Amino acid sequence: MAHTPPDGRAGIDAALVRRLIAAQFPRWDGLPVTPVEVDGWDNRTYRLGDRMTVRLPTAPGYVAAVDKENHWLPRLAPSLPVAVPPVLAKGVPGEGYPHPWSVRGWLPGETADRGRIDDMPRFAVQVAEFLVALQRCDATGGPAAGAHSWYRGASPAHYDDETRRCLAALRGRVDTGRAAAVWDAALATERRDAPVWFHGDIASGNLLVRDGELTAVIDFGTSGVGDPACDLVIAWTLFSGDSRESFRKAVCQDDATWARARGWALWKSLLVLSECIDTDPQRAATNHHVITEVLADHDRRA
């Protein structure tokens, strides 16, 4: 049974959401408000009745995503092979809450846990097909990668200093020599093709499945227009063996893009590992495994 975290993170709770709805969208006043079972970090999300959700940024750095998603999701949706969050309304600061917020349509499904997917290579192809379709969407006027996307879609070089600090901190605990080679290989490449749409956080928690099939992709808060290398990280965080190869073939990216993708995966895993290696053994083991897989993948393709 899923465990719903305690309400109130970032000063946001169900009572606040009920007050905001009553004040700004009285037509929905009285509908039940409950935290979702699997919540993200950048936003808090609540069920509103049976058919809607309320999504509220947890800090100023995540506020830009509200207008971005509200503007672009309806434009991208018709060109995508699976559902994305339907935008129903935009709320404004109020009731002591300082940020804009949004009301979305509820998308049925469960997050893409390995235990819910019988045919992982087939699922990997479905994820790749979504990414290819997203990259084919018209990028004219789209938000160029930058602070709003936490520099996903830009060069991983933005995180060079942070990655080097993590490598120094983890010396003797991971193979930092091989890891540095992966990072250097990522920085040695650059995207020369026209910028395309990227999601920015293609991870199991943002992929919804029903009966083992991909049915929806959520959380476009880090999306934008730029380099799609960041969207390939799932090759090591969720896929392996046959499913990784199926994803690689279906997503149709060149070797330089894959080199940058390994850099993105390495940066995040090193960062998380450096923060939890002595305090959270399970989380540390997960990120150590990703690092191991990235290094092995680099060695095979060097």
Side-chain angles (χ1 to χ4, degrees), residues 25-272:
F25 303 107
R27 63 188 180 277
W28 297 322
D29 188 18
L31 291 175
V33 174
T34 54
V36 296
E37 290 185 343
V38 181
D39 202 8
W41 181 257
D42 301 0
N43 297 270
R44 293 227 60 200
T45 303
Y46 291 79
R47 292 291 301 268
L48 177 61
D50 293 330
R51 299 183 178 181
M52 292 178 286
T53 65
V54 179
R55 180 173 162 89
L56 306 96
T58 59
Y62 308 124
V63 168
V66 175
D67 283 337
K68 177 174 62 177
E69 290 182 298
N70 286 0
H71 179 79
W72 287 104
L73 281 176
R75 291 162 171 78
L76 295 172
S79 300
L80 300 175
V82 297
V84 297
V87 178
L88 303 181
K90 177 186 171 184
V92 297
E95 305 300 317
Y97 178 71
H99 308 309
W101 49 284
S102 57
V103 180
R104 308 285 179 81
W106 173 256
L107 293 172
E110 298 178 292
T111 54
D113 184 272
R114 289 184 179 92
R116 296 178 177 134
I117 302 167
D118 293 330
D119 188 340
M120 190 61 83
R122 173 180 167 81
F123 180 75
V125 171
Q126 292 173 345
V127 175
E129 288 172 346
F130 168 83
L131 292 175
V132 171
L134 179 63
Q135 293 161 20
R136 288 175 177 164
C137 291
D138 185 1
T140 304
H148 70 93
S149 67
W150 297 88
Y151 298 93
R152 269 72 164 184
S155 169
H158 179 80
Y159 291 106
D160 186 41
D161 288 347
E162 188 170 66
T163 301
R164 307 265 179 209
R165 287 196 297 272
C166 290
L167 287 169
L170 292 168
R171 187 171 292 116
R173 309 188 79 172
V174 300
D175 191 335
T176 51
R178 290 168 66 212
V182 171
W183 185 245
D184 290 340
L187 300 194
T189 72
E190 61 180 282
R191 181 171 173 84
R192 300 185 182 278
D193 295 332
V196 296
W197 275 99
F198 61 87
H199 178 278
D201 193 12
I202 292 292
S204 57
N206 292 329
L207 306 175
L208 300 186
V209 300
R210 297 186 77 180
D211 300 323
E213 303 286 315
L214 180 68
T215 59
V217 178
I218 61 175
D219 195 353
F220 283 70
T222 53
S223 65
V225 171
D227 178 7
C230 57
D231 282 343
L232 306 184
V233 169
I234 197 171
W236 303 283
T237 58
L238 182 63
F239 303 138
S240 62
D242 290 345
S243 62
R244 185 179 298 159
E245 287 307 307
S246 295
F247 178 73
R248 186 186 297 272
K249 291 175 182 177
V251 83
C252 301
Q253 292 294 341
D254 61 20
D255 290 344
T257 304
W258 278 104
R260 293 191 299 279
R262 285 189 289 271
W264 280 109
L266 183 69
W267 156 71
K268 186 61 178 288
S269 295
L270 288 172
L271 177 62
V272 175

